[in-house]
Amino acid sequence: MPYLITSTILFLAALIIIYWIHNQYHLDIIVTPAPPPAANAPLISICIPARNEENNIRNCVESALRQDYPNIEVVVLDDRSTDATLTQLKEIASGDSRLLPISGSDLPEGWAGKPYALFQASAAAHGEWLCFVDADTFLTPHAISSCYAKALETKADMFTTMNEQVLGSFWEKVVMPLVMTALSVGFSPRKVNDPATRDAIANGQFIMIRRTVYDSIGGHEKVKDQIVEDKAISEQVKWNGHRLIVADGMKVIRTRMYTDLPSMWEGWTKNIYLGLRDHPSMLMLGAFGATLSLIAALFLPLWPILGISWYFNQGNWLAIAVILEALIVWGSLIYLRVKVAHKMNISGWYALTTPLGAGVFAAMMLTSAWKVISGQGVTWRGRKYHQNKNK
């Protein structure tokens, strides 16, 4: 009986936690394809920071230049790349005068890398709207027109989107869906979109902002030392009384963040580290998330096995009850993970890899927490980030 009571407590807790986690994603504002505006629409400057992006930059820039929006310029800041990024940019620019490639200068004291790259790009831009796009992000031909229309409709001063994540390799499909679910728990789009709250967040993969608003808050110079510059600038926008909107942009924008497990490990370990470092109160939440992930990775697969073992050893109805509880939890989890998989355009069979993905995610969180506590810092694209300093 003690085994059944323990199992039942875990059963109820597991169902509550599983359904709560999978019901935090509420992006009510959805960007749908819209026709381009009139030819006299305001100039939009698409600003792209690029550091060693030779595998992405051509597709990213060419997708920006293919926009049906009638009045754009594309400013790309080459952030001292050591690969063929700048060479490719010059080749593209030779055939399209709307592209302006810029060679970035050395990083000044007190600046983080990406804010300085965006600061330089925005200084060369002439648009009434600035549109910051990461080099691993690809726009459909109607992306700018559609996001501009939705920004006007929602009266946004800053408009940012959550995009479709392109998943190619096995490990991307195993880990990324879990990471995206975890992110949905970390912020509430409804609170972000509510001007009465202080909740603010932005996705640096795609941000549109009115130039007048950008200048009024001090631009990226105001957040020059912030590694998570997208969240920092969204706070400046909202906390200074401007309208911040986060929307679902999956129908018009795609992003390929990582291509394999090593790059994903480096990237997400860095992101988690920076979040925990800059917000020490998040350490407890991070520990909770790591614990849940470890439970999903280690205990969930063992739960029905333990029940079956108990049944064959004693063969009573209590063991059958434990087995049924374990299978119901498993069934509920797999059902919800299949829905996530389909939303991310991958096979529902990847739901069965949830314990494996949870184990990797737990390892990333624990590694990041240890790097915060020990002061070791992390390395990203050749730069070292540690206790509020970078190189």
Side-chain angles (χ1 to χ4, degrees), residues 77 104-108 111-121 220 224:
L77 191 287
S105 60
D106 291 341
L107 189 65
W111 281 83
K114 191 175 178 184
Y116 188 55
L118 294 173
F119 169 79
Q120 294 174 87
H220 280 92
K224 64 181 182 180

Side-chain angles (χ1 to χ4, degrees), residues 50-54 57 78 81 83-89:
R51 179 176 172 84
N52 294 330
E53 291 284 0
E54 63 180 5
I57 196 62
D78 176 61
S81 298
D83 61 5
T85 297
L86 186 58
T87 301
Q88 292 185 36
L89 288 172

